[in-house]
Amino acid sequence: MSLDERQPPIVALDFSEPADARSLVERLSPEDCRLKIGKELFVSAGPSLVGEWVDAGWDVFLDLKFHDIPNTVAGACRAAARLGVWMLNVHALGGRAMMQSAMEGLEAGSPVGRDRPLLTAVTVLTSHDADSLAEVGVMGTPEEAVSRLARLADEAGLDGVVCSAQEAMLVEGQVKRPFRRVTPGIRPRGAAMDDQSRILTPAEALAAGATDLVVGRPVTRAKDPVAVLQAIRHEMGFTTSD
Ligand code: C5P
């Protein structure tokens, strides 16, 4: 699938109970959205739930943000590729060698005849500001760090970055090839902000250069998650038959 095509939204399954995640997923369709499994659900449900959804035809984004020595991250990526996930991510702060090893792990773990999973990098966590970055030795503004780390991820051969929608345009100017900008902090107009401080609507995020939108609580906490998801897809320009 080319990045010029609209990418279906990614639903962040931030549930503490695997049964709650399962019952939501049963109401959704792999034609309409992708699934993001983060640390909480993965630690409680384990890889078998990932495999179950992959086998059922879902594109699964394993959002575990690996950050360790290159050899360890390569091994984790190899194992994730064997699970058949669609995308996974690492922290760009792990450095060039770690990101290159992650890619090698994905290639090594991908079953013959199957595309390797996409690999994206978190640049700067959106919970950081300039002061908290300086405290851990990253000088300059968060935007400077995002640009620098996006360039590094590009040079290491990754497929894109996870960043705030406000940073998507900035990233687009730093990289030389099709490069995904996966963006959380998406809120349909009128939805609660929850704990996100910088939010954009789906249409605003796409206009700002986001390629893949991550939406969690507006869908997972909705009385009618299917209706909210369809409204988001509509705002992204999908018709019901897409
Ligand atoms: O519920 P909400 O739409 O805020 O969920 C956003 C998802 O994106 C969560 O799974 C959160 O962990 C993730 N995320 C984020 N900000 C980042 C990186 C990931 O909100 N910078």
Side-chain angles (χ1 to χ4, degrees), residues 35-188:
L35 306 178
K36 181 171 91 66
I37 300 183
K39 292 185 174 79
E40 185 178 17
L41 186 57
F42 188 76
V43 170
S44 57
S48 62
L49 185 61
V50 178
E52 196 181 300
W53 284 334
V54 168
D55 290 345
W58 286 96
D59 281 344
V60 174
F61 172 18
L62 193 58
D63 178 19
L64 299 181
K65 303 186 182 72
F66 296 137
H67 186 175
D68 210 314
I69 59 171
N71 185 58
T72 301
V73 169
C77 288
R78 201 161 46 239
R82 287 198 194 110
L83 274 178
V85 301
W86 161 69
M87 182 189 284
L88 73 157
N89 58 5
V90 296
H91 272 283
L93 277 169
R96 184 190 302 270
M98 187 205 77
M99 288 192 274
Q100 288 171 337
S101 295
M103 286 297 273
E104 286 161 17
L106 290 183
E107 301 280 0
S110 298
V112 177
R114 188 172 190 154
D115 290 340
R116 66 157 175 80
L118 297 171
L119 184 63
T120 51
V122 176
T123 54
V124 174
L125 292 171
T126 45
S127 48
H128 271 305
D129 58 19
D131 289 341
S132 69
L133 278 180
E135 231 169 22
V136 294
V138 178
M139 298 306 168
T141 64
E143 290 75 22
E144 284 162 351
V146 167
S147 300
R148 195 166 58 240
L149 291 167
R151 283 197 301 274
L152 188 62
D154 185 27
E155 287 166 18
L158 270 65
D159 300 296
V161 290
V162 182
C163 62
S164 76
Q166 285 90 343
E167 290 157 356
M169 196 71 87
L170 179 72
V171 168
E172 199 175 5
Q174 303 295 323
V175 297
K176 295 179 212 68
R177 57 197 171 85
F179 201 65
R180 301 182 100 100
R181 278 90 59 192
V182 181
T183 62
I186 305 296
R187 292 291 179 271

Side-chain angles (χ1 to χ4, degrees), residues 10 23 25 31 44 56 79-80 93-94 106-107 127 157 193 198 202 212 218:
I10 301 169
S23 71
V25 170
E31 310 293 313
S44 57
L93 277 169
L106 290 183
E107 301 280 0
S127 48
M193 284 176 72
R198 292 179 298 150
D212 298 84

Side-chain angles (χ1 to χ4, degrees), residues 17 45 52 111 114 129 134 136 142 150-151 194-195 211 230 241:
E17 292 300 326
E52 196 181 300
R114 188 172 190 154
D129 58 19
V136 294
R151 283 197 301 274
D194 304 307
D195 56 357
T211 60
Q230 289 306 338
S241 57

